[in-house]
Amino acid sequence: MRSAERRATLADVAARAGVSKSLVSLVMRHEPGAGTETRRRVLEAADELGYHPDSRARLLRSGRSRLLGVVFGIQHDFHGDLVTDLYAAARETGYEVALSAVTPGRDEREATAGLLQDRCEALILLGPQQPTASLVRLATRLPVIVLARGVRHAAVDVVRTADAEGLHQAVDHLVQLGHRRIAHIDGGRAPGAAERRRGYRDALRGHGLDRYARIVPGGLTEEDGAAAARVLLDDPPTAVTVFNDRCATGVLDVLARHGRQVPGDLSVVGYDDSRLARLAHVDLTTIAQDAGTMTRLAVRRAIDRIEGTAVARREVVVPPRLVVRGTTGPPIH
């Protein structure tokens, strides 16, 4: 019996089927040159031995890997949605996705280095925080597509949401409900945070409400949202827009613990329309980023760059969409 620890080889299949290795190779590549009976014997032998052709090794020998490297952050719920859709988008093109996570103990440079060692043909970076100069240096080695962050340099392709427009939609919705004192909990230095702050300020100004502008430091996590909510409770507005859905859930938790009704006492709007926002007990009004469209565009752009196809625009901006759920309503005072 063949050792369970040793992987079956092309030679093993050839010996079992009583044919040459070159004939087995033809059958495995689904190429002509083997008769029906020979093909049947080879496939039976391969099945009995548990042999599977190593397509990755064959690609590497040809100088190709057909791998798209993806760097994502585990702190971002929305990155999970993007990764899910990236797998689907890549599958449609015959490419595969290799993931590398950014964690509290593993920075973007380390995450990227691992993918370079895997010989990925392009990198898709989800909301990277490293400076533009670092991204440009990386783009001298292989195509770099930044997803969910703006980058002002011709060497780097970008697919992002119109973040400022998203905050316009959030503020417009709250104003239509009758709110005037609308605060914003921001995302600090996170990708997209500056654009969302700008959209918030511009929207208030457009409604003649800029005197009510109030930006409270926030962040990416529930803890950041909770800390910001405690600040707001000292002088509460009637509504608040929040950098992302995860931060917004921290706001909702603090409001509940202090007996404040949502949306009665305070309306809350998140950002991303992540799976968290769609949970029945959260039911968060939010600004949706079109993850399916963004990931398809990112994968297509990566392949265009790999294949040397001309592209019309370096940056593609995808419109956001307001999703109204249960955390917004008219002010009661």
Side-chain angles (χ1 to χ4, degrees), residues 136-258:
V136 172
R137 284 195 297 272
L138 190 59
T140 64
R141 304 180 62 177
L142 75 176
V144 173
I145 292 80
V146 169
L147 192 54
R149 170 193 158 182
V151 178
R152 296 180 180 178
H153 198 284
V156 180
D157 288 287
V158 171
V159 179
R160 66 175 179 87
T161 298
D163 283 303
E165 170 60 23
L167 258 293
H168 267 277
Q169 292 182 16
V171 170
D172 290 348
H173 168 62
L174 293 168
V175 171
Q176 288 166 9
L177 289 172
H179 293 277
R180 297 294 179 268
R181 291 185 294 116
I182 303 166
H184 177 63
I185 297 173
D186 79 354
R189 299 180 64 182
E195 290 80 5
R196 294 176 199 181
R197 283 192 294 270
R198 177 169 58 82
Y200 163 76
R201 290 193 184 99
D202 290 348
L204 284 186
R205 188 177 304 114
H207 289 287
L209 299 173
D210 46 320
R211 66 186 180 280
Y212 295 115
R214 182 182 179 190
I215 296 177
V216 178
L220 302 175
T221 68
E222 295 90 344
E223 291 79 10
D224 295 324
R230 286 190 284 270
V231 172
L232 285 177
L233 287 175
D234 293 335
D235 180 20
T238 63
V240 61
T241 60
V242 188
F243 172 71
N244 70 9
D245 294 340
R246 187 174 173 189
C247 188
T249 60
V251 174
L252 295 175
D253 181 65
V254 166
L255 293 175
R257 291 174 185 272
H258 284 79

Side-chain angles (χ1 to χ4, degrees), residues 5-295:
E5 295 181 358
R6 190 174 74 84
R7 179 173 177 172
T9 66
L10 206 68
D12 294 327
V13 177
R16 175 69 66 94
V19 298
S20 67
K21 285 173 57 179
S22 59
L23 199 54
V24 172
S25 181
L26 285 176
V27 173
M28 291 301 165
R29 295 199 306 271
H30 305 287
E31 294 182 4
T36 302
E37 175 60 22
T38 299
R39 189 174 299 274
R40 182 191 64 78
R41 290 207 323 272
V42 168
L43 292 176
E44 282 186 358
D47 184 60
E48 291 167 0
L49 293 169
Y51 172 78
H52 300 285
D54 190 345
S55 57
R56 177 67 49 75
R58 186 170 68 249
L59 282 167
L60 289 174
R61 285 195 296 272
S62 71
R64 297 292 307 276
S65 69
R66 296 190 74 84
L67 270 181
L68 302 177
V70 175
V71 175
F72 69 103
I74 63 168
Q75 284 189 304
H76 298 266
D77 272 14
F78 184 58
H79 284 193
D81 294 343
L82 290 172
V83 166
T84 298
D85 288 338
L86 279 168
Y87 272 114
R91 188 183 305 119
E92 294 173 1
T93 66
Y95 279 74
E96 293 185 32
V97 168
L99 297 180
S100 191
V102 177
T103 72
R106 187 173 192 256
D107 64 16
E108 286 179 7
R109 294 177 188 276
E110 187 176 352
T112 301
L115 295 174
L116 294 175
Q117 290 175 356
D118 289 340
R119 296 179 63 179
C120 293
E121 296 192 52
L123 293 180
I124 299 175
L125 311 180
L126 309 191
Q129 293 195 315
Q130 56 188 297
T132 298
S134 297
L135 298 174
V136 172
R137 284 195 297 272
L138 190 59
T140 64
R141 304 180 62 177
L142 75 176
V144 173
I145 292 80
V146 169
L147 192 54
R149 170 193 158 182
V151 178
R152 296 180 180 178
H153 198 284
V156 180
D157 288 287
V158 171
V159 179
R160 66 175 179 87
T161 298
D163 283 303
E165 170 60 23
L167 258 293
H168 267 277
Q169 292 182 16
V171 170
D172 290 348
H173 168 62
L174 293 168
V175 171
Q176 288 166 9
L177 289 172
H179 293 277
R180 297 294 179 268
R181 291 185 294 116
I182 303 166
H184 177 63
I185 297 173
D186 79 354
R189 299 180 64 182
E195 290 80 5
R196 294 176 199 181
R197 283 192 294 270
R198 177 169 58 82
Y200 163 76
R201 290 193 184 99
D202 290 348
L204 284 186
R205 188 177 304 114
H207 289 287
L209 299 173
D210 46 320
R211 66 186 180 280
Y212 295 115
R214 182 182 179 190
I215 296 177
V216 178
L220 302 175
T221 68
E222 295 90 344
E223 291 79 10
D224 295 324
R230 286 190 284 270
V231 172
L232 285 177
L233 287 175
D234 293 335
D235 180 20
T238 63
V240 61
T241 60
V242 188
F243 172 71
N244 70 9
D245 294 340
R246 187 174 173 189
C247 188
T249 60
V251 174
L252 295 175
D253 181 65
V254 166
L255 293 175
R257 291 174 185 272
H258 284 79
R260 305 300 172 89
Q261 297 297 310
V262 176
D265 294 316
L266 187 68
S267 285
V268 179
V269 182
Y271 204 108
D272 287 340
D273 193 29
S274 62
R275 286 167 289 183
L276 183 63
R278 300 191 289 268
L279 293 174
H281 70 282
V282 178
D283 198 31
L284 180 66
T285 295
T286 187
I287 301 298
Q289 302 197 66
D290 189 344
T293 296
M294 292 170 70
T295 51

